[in-house]
Amino acid sequence: METELMTLAASATTMLVGEMTRDGWNRTKQAVAALWRRTRPEQVAHVESELDITRDDLVAARANRDGDTEAELVAEWQGRLRRLLSQDSESVEELRRLLTSTGASSQHVADFGGAVHLGFGDINQAGRDMTIHRAAPVVPGRDASGPPEATGPGPA
């Protein structure tokens, strides 16, 4: 059951973070707050405030291409949702309905031996040594063997 809750929380967090920068954010925020309203009504105002702060932090992190901060925000909300789900089985079904209504699903979440993949980035696991080779990134207008190509008219 714990693995199922982790996977559901991961899927919900992927949806939640994705919705934070979209037009339907307020509807999603209210739906997430409703999960808390049933089991922890005294925390609803705080959760709504934290969701807004997280959204502001996420927008700033994406503007600065700060993947570490974004990953930290995802991990924080994944833990919060998992703890909530483990205390209230009715929230599990309500969250599944929310995921379905937003078009999200657990298709972007995979569980590999305890490491939960949220649908972005790589997951590398090894019992011992591991070597990972990556191709150099392709930069438009740049030949991999030399300086950037000249564009536009040259000197006259």
Side-chain angles (χ1 to χ4, degrees):
M1 181 69 171
E2 185 66 24
T3 301
E4 179 186 352
L5 291 180
M6 285 180 61
T7 303
L8 181 60
S11 185
T13 304
T14 300
M15 175 275 303
L16 178 63
V17 171
E19 290 293 314
M20 284 182 174
T21 57
R22 294 193 179 108
D23 291 336
W25 166 239
N26 283 325
R27 183 178 68 86
T28 303
K29 179 176 113 174
Q30 293 306 313
V32 171
L35 292 172
W36 262 265
R37 191 167 284 112
R38 180 181 33 254
T39 57
R40 300 177 186 169
E42 72 283 355
Q43 294 181 2
V44 172
H46 179 72
V47 166
E48 289 176 330
S49 174
E50 288 292 314
L51 285 166
D52 287 332
I53 290 168
T54 300
R55 181 179 190 265
D56 293 343
D57 289 349
L58 178 67
V59 169
R62 287 187 176 173
N64 294 322
R65 297 178 185 215
D66 183 356
D68 291 340
T69 297
E70 185 170 345
E72 183 181 307
L73 296 170
V74 167
E76 176 185 340
W77 280 98
Q78 183 177 342
R80 286 180 182 194
L81 285 169
R82 184 193 49 76
R83 286 187 298 276
L84 180 73
L85 296 173
S86 68
Q87 294 176 354
D88 180 26
S89 60
E90 289 180 28
S91 291
V92 172
E93 289 309 314
E94 188 172 337
L95 189 55
R96 283 192 179 119
R97 284 191 297 276
L98 175 61
L99 289 172
T100 301
S101 73
T102 61
S105 70
S106 60
Q107 66 185 355
H108 300 294
V109 178
D111 183 355
F112 298 99
V116 178
H117 187 261
L118 296 173
F120 57 89
D122 296 333
I123 215 172
N124 301 303
Q125 291 181 292
R128 262 203 64 182
D129 301 335
M130 180 185 298
T131 303
I132 300 170
H133 298 279
R134 299 194 192 283
V138 177
V139 179
R142 180 163 249 206
D143 181 358
S145 63
E149 299 171 12
T151 57

